[in-house]
């Protein structure tokens, strides 16, 4: 992956997908302190629903090749110590599968690692540590209250909001089923 390495040498901080990454390149990415956003769920959904959505056959075949390597690439990234962020690339009717990214990554990462990917590591990638992805005075104040323990079962967060009892975005309560 010479182009990927060249991009990192020129200061690129974040790589999207990295589905076909090899161990040597993953170590290079980690050594540069760069981030990867794997977007597993879009690949899965293109394989599952691409034909119904009118995906061209050659693109469908490409998605199927990528999907065969997707979970293995997560393990390669983990072993290399690459910092991962949460993202899905889902659009339109597929957007409702947004939280499935958690359960796909759970095949390789722990719930705590997954929550960090979606919060503090993403904030670090965006150069917003201390403002996003944390609970601290002066921070942005995006918070959720989950019914259950997502550290024991990440599926609670991946239930498309059904288990979220309170959602605070930017300090404003946008959902509260605890106080009505």
């Amino acid at each position: 992956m010479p182009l990927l390495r060249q991009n990192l040498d020129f200061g690129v901080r974040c790589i999207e997908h990295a589905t076909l990454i090899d161990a040597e390149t993953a170590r290079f990415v980690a050594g540069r302190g760069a981030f990867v956003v794997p977007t597993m769920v879009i690949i899965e959904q293109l394989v599952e629903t691409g034909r119904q959505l009118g995906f061209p056959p050659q693109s469908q075949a490409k998605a199927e090749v990528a999907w065969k390597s997707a979970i293995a690439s997560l393990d390669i990234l983990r072993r290399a110590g690459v910092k991962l962020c949460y993202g899905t690339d889902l659009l339109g009717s597929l957007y409702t599968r947004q939280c499935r990214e958690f359960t796909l990554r759970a095949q390789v990462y722990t719930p705590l690692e997954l929550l960090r990917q979606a919060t503090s590591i993403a904030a670090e990638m965006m150069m917003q540590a201390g403002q996003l992805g944390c609970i601290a005075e002066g921070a942005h104040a995006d918070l959720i209250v989950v019914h259950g323990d997502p550290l024991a079962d990440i599926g609670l967060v991946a239930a498309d909001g059904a288990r979220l009892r309170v959602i605070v975005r930017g300090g404003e309560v946008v959902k509260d089923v605890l106080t009505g």
Side-chain angles (χ1 to χ4, degrees):
M1 297 192 158
L3 185 57
L4 185 142
R5 288 173 180 244
Q6 186 178 40
N7 285 321
L8 292 171
D9 284 339
F10 286 126
V12 168
R13 299 184 70 240
C14 187
I15 306 297
E16 297 292 315
H17 309 295
T19 309
L20 303 175
I21 199 163
D22 59 46
E24 181 183 341
T25 304
R27 288 189 297 273
F28 185 83
V29 171
R32 290 285 195 247
F35 301 82
V36 169
V37 182
T39 62
M40 296 284 111
V41 70
I42 187 62
I43 302 166
E44 177 200 55
Q45 292 305 305
L46 289 175
V47 168
E48 288 184 11
T49 64
R51 285 184 180 86
Q52 298 103 316
L53 296 172
F55 217 47
Q58 61 272 38
S59 297
Q60 184 72 34
K62 184 179 174 183
E64 289 170 7
V65 167
W67 182 239
K68 289 178 184 172
S69 300
I71 301 303
S73 72
L74 285 179
D75 190 50
I76 290 169
L77 292 163
R78 184 173 204 239
R79 289 176 189 267
V82 175
K83 297 180 279 189
L84 267 60
C85 298
Y86 188 90
T88 66
D89 281 357
L90 293 172
L91 297 169
S93 64
L94 296 178
Y95 193 74
T96 60
R97 295 175 178 99
Q98 186 84 356
C99 294
R100 174 106 174 97
E101 184 79 11
F102 283 112
T103 53
L104 290 171
R105 291 188 195 194
Q107 296 175 59
V108 176
Y109 290 91
T110 68
L112 181 58
E113 290 170 322
L114 294 170
L115 292 172
R116 286 181 176 152
Q117 291 170 12
T119 58
S120 59
I121 296 173
E124 180 186 349
M125 186 271 298
M126 294 185 290
M127 295 185 278
Q128 293 291 310
Q131 294 299 305
L132 300 174
C134 66
I135 299 173
E137 185 175 340
H140 191 66
D142 289 339
L143 306 165
I144 59 174
V145 175
V146 180
H147 182 73
D149 181 359
L151 295 177
D153 179 7
I154 197 65
L156 298 173
V157 176
D160 293 325
R163 304 292 292 209
L164 302 183
R165 298 301 183 235
V166 176
I167 301 173
V168 179
R169 182 178 50 225
E172 178 186 340
V173 177
V174 294
K175 177 182 179 180
D176 183 355
V177 299
L178 296 178
T179 60

